[in-house]
Amino acid sequence: MLANITPTIAAVTGNTTMNGTDIIVPSRMPREADSNSVNFYIGLTLAILSTIFIGASFVIKKKALIKLSQYGTRAGEGGYGYLKEWLWWAGFFSLGFGETFNFAAYAFAPATLVTPLGALSVLVSAVMSSYFLRERLNLHGKIGCMLSILGSTVMVIHAPAEAEVTNLNTLSQMLIEPAFITYGVIVVIISLVLIFYYGPKYGKTNILIYIAICSMIGSLSVMACKGLGLSLKQTFGGDNQLTNLLTWFLLASLVACVTVQMNYLNRALDIFNTSIVTPIYYVFFTTFVISASAILYKEWELMTPKDIIGTLSGFLTIVFGIFLLHAFKDVNFSLSNLPTFMRRDEPKEIHLSNGSTTSLLQDPPSEEEVVR
């Protein structure tokens, strides 16, 4: 038995014994560690490149939509003239490159590293918007942006591991389960109501309408994309799935969902400030994708009480971040005028984006002044 154990120990530690003398042989573990380190940095580089390209795509497409609004029908009014604008296509391909890098990053680095780094695209977009679009984000917006990123990161960290799916047959069984079908039906119904009823009435004044549409439909597109990737992986591995009807169904679903998603994201970018659209879209999109993935792959069964608390805390942080971004977007408030706001012995004037002003901490008018 000792003779059988010795080679096993030697294979792990690189040490063996001959005639009572320890002989050190080269071990394969350092080489494997070096390989893992290289893969880690490759994944990190791809993830960072992904955030740069995705963040830049919002600004580039916004620049194209601003240019188009000067001589064509705006995207917010239902126009599709941006399809003829080369600058918009540059932003589209920038987004495509970013998503490709993001997909490839998962093959080299753990998801707990790649997914939170996606939040950096919000910062990239905000910085580029200030330089190329002359858009300003007040102090409330900056705090809300950071809270949104923090909450999304906490949710991702506490998200359970994804169940292992190795073939389309397994995925097909998961797709027809009642929980995921219910989620898909609810998403489609709510999206249709927003598109045909609330969108025409409130889409130009409420930023959440268009973003909710592209985020919910986007969660379905991610599920279709992951299934299509599994099909291609099987096909390249020798098991041809191009004759499988599920492959073409996933492809058709992906094209349809991405078309709707890009259409309403363009409308949101055309109407509202990019520095506000980007973080809210990131928060909503990430939340719906995590929800859809948890339902499809039954990740909720693997959640511990610590993960549940972490997920709820992350979600509440996201809610507060969105509130700060949306509720005070018209208030011109920054660190430079913070000392003025802290003085309680004189009225404070807040300059709104429409040019009007309002006062804080000012005594209400007396009854005599009201009568006058």
Side-chain angles (χ1 to χ4, degrees), residues 105-140:
Y106 284 101
F108 295 95
T112 53
L113 169 70
V114 177
T115 307
L117 281 179
L120 294 179
S121 62
V122 178
L123 302 181
V124 172
S125 179
V127 172
M128 293 187 66
S129 296
S130 63
Y131 282 98
F132 296 103
L133 301 179
R134 305 300 180 185
E135 295 181 355
R136 299 186 63 183
L137 195 64
N138 61 14
L139 185 60
H140 294 96

Side-chain angles (χ1 to χ4, degrees), residues 252-269:
S253 300
L254 178 62
V255 172
C257 291
V258 169
T259 301
V260 175
Q261 184 181 357
M262 290 297 101
N263 179 27
Y264 285 94
L265 180 59
N266 286 328
R267 295 192 183 193
L269 288 171

Side-chain angles (χ1 to χ4, degrees), residues 82-104:
Y82 56 84
L83 296 176
K84 300 179 181 179
E85 179 61 48
W86 68 269
L87 191 59
W88 184 88
W89 283 106
F92 178 82
F93 284 113
S94 177
L95 179 62
F97 287 137
E99 294 295 346
T100 301
F101 288 140
N102 186 65
F103 180 79

Side-chain angles (χ1 to χ4, degrees), residues 51-269:
T51 61
I52 294 175
F53 276 97
I54 293 176
S57 70
F58 286 98
V59 179
I60 296 174
K61 288 195 290 185
K62 176 69 174 182
K63 192 78 172 178
L65 294 173
I66 292 176
K67 180 180 178 181
L68 180 66
S69 64
Q70 299 175 357
Y71 59 86
T73 304
R74 300 182 58 152
E77 299 174 355
Y80 298 94
Y82 56 84
L83 296 176
K84 300 179 181 179
E85 179 61 48
W86 68 269
L87 191 59
W88 184 88
W89 283 106
F92 178 82
F93 284 113
S94 177
L95 179 62
F97 287 137
E99 294 295 346
T100 301
F101 288 140
N102 186 65
F103 180 79
Y106 284 101
F108 295 95
T112 53
L113 169 70
V114 177
T115 307
L117 281 179
L120 294 179
S121 62
V122 178
L123 302 181
V124 172
S125 179
V127 172
M128 293 187 66
S129 296
S130 63
Y131 282 98
F132 296 103
L133 301 179
R134 305 300 180 185
E135 295 181 355
R136 299 186 63 183
L137 195 64
N138 61 14
L139 185 60
H140 294 96
K142 293 176 182 178
I143 296 175
C145 183
M146 296 304 298
L147 286 176
S148 300
I149 294 173
L150 178 62
S152 299
T153 304
V154 170
M155 287 191 66
V156 170
I157 290 175
H158 289 279
E162 183 178 297
E164 185 68 22
V165 180
T166 58
N167 54 70
L168 277 186
N169 291 332
T170 303
L171 181 62
S172 64
Q173 296 298 321
M174 301 174 75
L175 288 173
I176 61 176
E177 291 186 357
F180 185 73
I181 291 179
T182 302
Y183 173 82
V185 170
I186 292 175
V187 164
V188 171
I189 292 177
I190 294 178
S191 299
L192 290 176
V193 172
L194 291 176
I195 291 173
F196 294 105
Y197 182 76
Y198 289 100
K201 289 186 176 182
Y202 308 108
K204 295 181 180 179
T205 57
N206 192 327
I207 191 174
L208 299 180
I209 299 295
Y210 290 153
I211 291 182
I213 294 173
C214 58
S215 298
M216 288 189 294
I217 297 299
S219 67
L220 297 180
S221 69
V222 170
M223 299 301 105
C225 183
K226 295 174 72 171
L228 189 61
L230 179 61
S231 175
L232 295 176
K233 182 179 179 181
Q234 280 188 261
T235 301
F236 292 144
D239 185 8
N240 186 16
Q241 295 295 324
L242 297 180
T243 58
N244 192 330
L245 292 179
L246 181 58
T247 299
W248 298 102
F249 173 77
L250 292 172
L251 179 60
S253 300
L254 178 62
V255 172
C257 291
V258 169
T259 301
V260 175
Q261 184 181 357
M262 290 297 101
N263 179 27
Y264 285 94
L265 180 59
N266 286 328
R267 295 192 183 193
L269 288 171

